[in-house]
Amino acid sequence: SQEGANPLLIETQLVPSGDRMEIVPPTGLSAGSWRWRVKAIDQYGAESEWSEWSEFFVQRDMPAQLHGIGTFALNLQPQRSGIQDMFNGAIAFAYWNPTTKAYEERSTLEPGKAYWYKAESPVTVRLSGTPIDQSLPIPLVPGWNLIPSLARLSVDFNSIQVKKGDTVKTLAEARDAGWLEDYLWGWYPETSDPLRGSYRLVYDSRIVPGVVDVLEPWRGYWIYAHTNCELLLGQRSRATGLREVSSALGGWGLRLVARTSDGSAEVLLGVSHSRSVAVEHPPIPPGTSSSVRLSITHGDVKLGADIRRRSALNEGWDIELEVAPSESGREVILTWPNITMLPRSVNLMIID
């Protein structure tokens, strides 16, 4: 039963005494706290007394299934950690080891860690367990770290903090101190084909319009650290997911996307009146290779995002498009999904 809702009565078939059984409510359960109790009835109709009430919590926005290639993080302590116990179908998981800087296959999942998954067809999620402490610090080591989003709701980017020893700083302050880079990367599968996707920059949309500015629950994100420290995801949450802002203090951001029949890639370019942001792409997902790559080049450096401090007349970005060889040729389609959100004073031109 749940406060304010009609109680549910679930009756099972006869089972041998001592056997373990799972009960799935036929209509699902709404989010929030629930109470339950049970009694037994034998084949002769004799009934036991009701048990004492117990409680459990149903989380909001828990994924019902996984499909394609994406990131995943446990927001609870599962009753069983084996993949076959939590997912009904063929699915593989890999963990990024930040020390060896390599992916490792996993047959069990742990709270407080993020993973990549691959499922050729939809896989049903069967999760139950105890909610974990959302304020747990996430350890970072030098280099790329794939971190979990532990909150039950989407976390505001600007609420994230960094701890080193007894000192706690904001992301921007930690960047100035040389602890880490103050941005993250998130992987976003394509709606039409979840086996394909691309990285999106996660940052402060007041500084760089057009970026993602929330961390969504049950997902993993990349962040680059320069020293050992800890990430605190904070408590300021949003119920909404991806948000885009057309302009902030006169700045703007443009997503440039390249697609082929079997892959996609994108970069972010733009202008901010607060600060410049030039960042490289994180490691590619495990076991994948794309037929197309898109980069903003600065000499020998290839960037995934390049936001200039101020716009100058005739200022340009050098974009490098790499396409895998194909005997029959390969069509590449360039799009800029959010160009309508740019200020009217911005006139852009692509020169091949």
Side-chain angles (χ1 to χ4, degrees), residues 96-132:
W96 172 261
N97 188 322
T99 303
T100 62
K101 298 176 173 53
Y103 289 112
E104 302 172 353
E105 293 185 3
R106 284 288 190 267
S107 59
T108 59
L109 305 183
E110 303 175 38
K113 292 184 178 180
Y115 303 87
W116 283 95
Y117 68 83
K118 183 176 182 180
E120 299 283 350
S121 57
V123 172
T124 303
V125 179
R126 302 180 301 184
L127 285 176
S128 62
T130 306
I132 62 175

Side-chain angles (χ1 to χ4, degrees), residues 287-334:
T288 62
S289 61
S290 177
S291 61
V292 59
R293 293 184 181 180
L294 202 59
S295 306
I296 304 173
T297 59
H298 273 193
D300 296 331
V301 179
K302 296 182 179 182
L303 303 175
D306 185 14
I307 307 299
R308 307 286 172 83
R309 178 66 183 271
R310 282 187 179 277
S311 177
L313 187 63
N314 297 326
E315 182 170 5
W317 289 260
D318 292 325
I319 311 294
E320 182 177 88
L321 175 64
E322 300 175 83
V323 184
S326 173
E327 292 183 0
S328 59
R330 198 185 300 272
E331 182 182 60
V332 181
I333 300 175
L334 290 178

Side-chain angles (χ1 to χ4, degrees), residues 7 40 92 98 103 151 169 182 192 215-216 235 248-249 260 292 299 302 340:
Y103 289 112
K169 297 179 180 289
D182 64 335
S192 59
L215 273 64
E216 299 177 38
Q235 298 300 317
L249 301 177
T260 65
V292 59
K302 296 182 179 182
T340 58

Side-chain angles (χ1 to χ4, degrees), residues 177-199:
W179 295 359
L180 47 65
E181 298 296 327
D182 64 335
Y183 60 83
L184 297 93
W185 286 104
W187 178 263
Y188 291 84
E190 295 185 7
T191 303
S192 59
D193 183 3
L195 287 168
R196 296 167 30 161
S198 58
Y199 282 117

Side-chain angles (χ1 to χ4, degrees), residues 157-163 167-177 179-180 182 231 236:
F157 174 85
N158 291 297
S159 71
I160 301 174
Q161 295 180 309
V162 188
K163 183 179 181 181
T167 305
V168 177
K169 297 179 180 289
T170 65
L171 273 175
E173 292 170 343
R175 176 205 69 214
D176 293 339
W179 295 359
L180 47 65
D182 64 335
L231 207 63
R236 283 197 294 154

